Amino acid sequence: AKGVEFVLARELLNLGALGVTPSSGGVYFQGTIETCYRANLWLRTASRILLPLKDFPCSKPEDLYHRIRRIRWEDHLSPSNTFAVDAYTRNTPNLRNAQYAALKVKDAIADHLRDKFGRRPNVDKVHPHLRVNVHIQEGQCTVSLDSSSDGLHKRGYRALEHHAPLKESLAAALVFLSEADFSIPFVDPMCGSGTIPIEAALLAAEIAPGLLRKNFGFQTWIGYDNRLWLALIEEAQEKKKDRLQSTIRGSDYSTAALKAASLNARRAGVNRIIHFDRSDILTLAPEEKKGILLFNPPYGTRMGNRAELERFYKTLGDVLKRRCKGWTVYIFTGDAQLAKSIGLHASKRITLYNGPLECRLIKYEMY
């Protein structure tokens, strides 16, 4: 997600990746195929890991077709395999339609393999052996292999959702940005279906998020090294912690939300690490002298009318000021005006994007 690039770059450096270079909406890096496997297994804030094959100028459909057809697809796909194409286009007048661009790429790949083997591979949009990613922007095309297939934010633990939960990868980014070291309590007092405390628990317990998934795109690639992958899985299993130095808590007023959060935490394997309880945030009164509060309060159409929301944010600010002295508070919101209603002095504001929506992660020090 936009705004998370430098968090992701830090993750990659910690994994030992080389040539780590943040760009808009992504991070370039270098490494071996083991680095690719590790990235899929361990990265918490990435959406997917792409392996670029070719980069070329492309201003019209014919250019796209012919340049794609020249790639040695037999190195990556056989006629008995299936494939799918995801295309993204922007600011290229003759290639505005992403669906049409994907069709041209599909035809080019199929025609190349037909010429080579006498038959074409089939398309499978759901579970292909090879997923191809094509990104066309301002007349420049990048063709990549998608080593993740399904987005990495789909950890596999989310069985139940409540309202509109954050993507797991964005929630993980918020936890990173809160600079939590888990030596003090970490609390989400409006946890909904539990995404923020679950991602915090996965990080604190050093549980690789990829352990929760069954399938990755690279597992059906030609040349897939299953022995290497199993060794990385075993290594990740050995790193997991059963106990933490401090507590991670999630609370919510909704019984349905807490039911979803408890089930999701159990599926993620962190139900013994997180404590959930039912409470209204406006009655918040932490017993500990310090800790971190990180939460995503409602905004927009998610709760009542504008006047009600402004009153809620104002009251929330009063509660934090009176009852949370010594704590560090992080509020993630998509409405800057509502955030002003809190009436507290912010020590930091970080711009992030929740999909296309520009949001802020706002930090308050409660003295």
Side-chain angles (χ1 to χ4, degrees):
K2 282 182 66 178
V4 180
E5 298 93 343
F6 288 93
V7 180
L8 177 54
R10 202 183 321 149
E11 282 196 272
L12 283 162
L13 288 169
N14 289 337
L15 275 185
L18 303 174
V20 177
T21 308
S23 64
S24 179
V27 181
Y28 289 96
F29 68 100
Q30 299 171 357
T32 63
I33 197 65
E34 180 179 333
T35 313
C36 175
Y37 291 5
R38 282 188 186 277
N40 277 284
L41 180 60
W42 280 100
L43 292 181
R44 301 176 192 276
T45 62
S47 299
R48 56 186 68 246
I49 312 298
L50 303 177
L51 175 63
L53 292 182
K54 291 288 181 181
D55 193 84
F56 52 83
C58 177
S59 60
K60 52 188 178 180
E62 294 77 15
D63 295 340
L64 178 63
Y65 174 85
H66 290 298
R67 294 300 294 264
I68 294 290
R69 190 167 176 173
R70 291 179 201 166
I71 296 172
R72 287 179 52 89
W73 290 106
E74 62 269 25
D75 294 342
H76 311 289
L77 185 66
S78 78
S80 58
N81 292 153
T82 58
F83 75 107
V85 178
D86 297 321
Y88 305 87
T89 64
R90 186 178 179 188
N91 295 341
T92 304
N94 295 319
L95 284 165
R96 287 199 178 103
N97 189 308
Q99 250 183 329
Y100 181 63
L103 181 63
K104 297 300 287 186
V105 172
K106 177 188 74 68
D107 287 344
I109 295 172
D111 289 348
H112 175 97
L113 291 171
R114 181 199 59 200
D115 292 347
K116 188 76 178 177
F117 298 105
R119 57 196 179 99
R120 295 161 57 107
N122 291 322
V123 170
D124 182 345
K125 295 182 179 180
V126 182
H127 299 296
H129 290 92
L130 186 74
R131 187 172 290 278
V132 178
N133 182 286
V134 176
H135 188 95
I136 304 169
Q137 182 166 344
E138 296 178 353
Q140 192 70 18
C141 177
T142 302
V143 184
S144 307
L145 304 184
D146 187 341
S147 72
S148 308
S149 197
D150 283 340
L152 292 178
H153 71 280
K154 297 179 181 178
R155 312 281 202 236
Y157 64 73
R158 196 179 265 173
L160 293 176
E161 296 182 355
H162 185 71
H163 296 316
L166 294 174
K167 277 188 176 182
E168 296 90 326
S169 50
L170 179 56
L174 299 180
V175 176
F176 274 118
L177 291 167
S178 74
E179 300 177 352
D181 63 3
F182 305 105
S183 62
I184 56 177
F186 181 96
V187 180
D188 179 353
M190 299 187 77
C191 70
S193 55
T195 308
I196 288 176
I198 289 172
E199 290 298 322
L202 291 172
L203 177 61
E206 295 184 40
I207 299 174
L211 286 176
L212 307 173
R213 284 172 51 127
K214 294 183 179 179
N215 301 300
F216 293 89
F218 62 79
Q219 290 177 294
T220 49
W221 283 6
I222 292 174
Y224 165 61
D225 189 339
N226 187 56
R227 183 178 296 180
L228 171 59
W229 177 241
L230 292 178
L232 295 177
I233 292 290
E234 183 178 355
E235 177 187 86
Q237 293 284 10
E238 291 174 354
K239 287 186 176 182
K240 294 195 297 186
K241 297 178 182 177
D242 293 325
R243 296 182 180 179
L244 301 182
Q245 183 178 346
S246 191
T247 59
I248 296 175
R249 296 199 300 270
S251 58
D252 204 280
Y253 185 72
S254 166
T255 303
L258 291 172
K259 179 181 177 182
S262 297
L263 176 59
N264 292 339
R266 189 158 59 249
R267 287 168 59 92
V270 293
N271 52 304
R272 295 182 181 179
I273 298 174
I274 307 172
H275 175 71
F276 289 109
D277 65 79
R278 183 175 181 270
S279 62
D280 187 334
I281 190 171
L282 299 184
T283 64
L284 181 69
E287 295 179 359
E288 300 91 345
K289 292 183 178 180
K290 62 179 180 178
I292 292 175
L293 284 168
L294 169 61
F295 58 104
N296 175 31
Y299 52 85
T301 58
R302 288 170 57 191
M303 174 184 165
N305 59 39
R306 190 76 186 180
E308 289 175 337
L309 281 169
E310 288 176 356
R311 284 195 297 272
F312 169 75
Y313 272 70
K314 184 180 184 305
T315 306
L316 178 60
D318 293 339
V319 169
L320 295 172
K321 185 176 181 179
R322 287 187 286 109
R323 303 182 195 157
C324 299
K325 290 181 180 179
W327 283 62
T328 302
V329 179
Y330 291 87
I331 294 178
F332 183 66
T333 179
D335 193 316
Q337 288 304 118
L338 279 176
K340 290 180 180 179
S341 300
I342 292 177
L344 300 174
H345 175 70
S347 59
K348 185 186 290 186
R349 297 175 186 269
I350 303 171
T351 301
L352 301 167
Y353 283 81
N354 186 3
L357 182 64
E358 183 176 314
C359 299
R360 298 284 187 279
L361 179 64
I362 309 173
K363 178 181 180 181
Y364 304 97
E365 298 284 0
M366 297 293 105
Y367 296 111

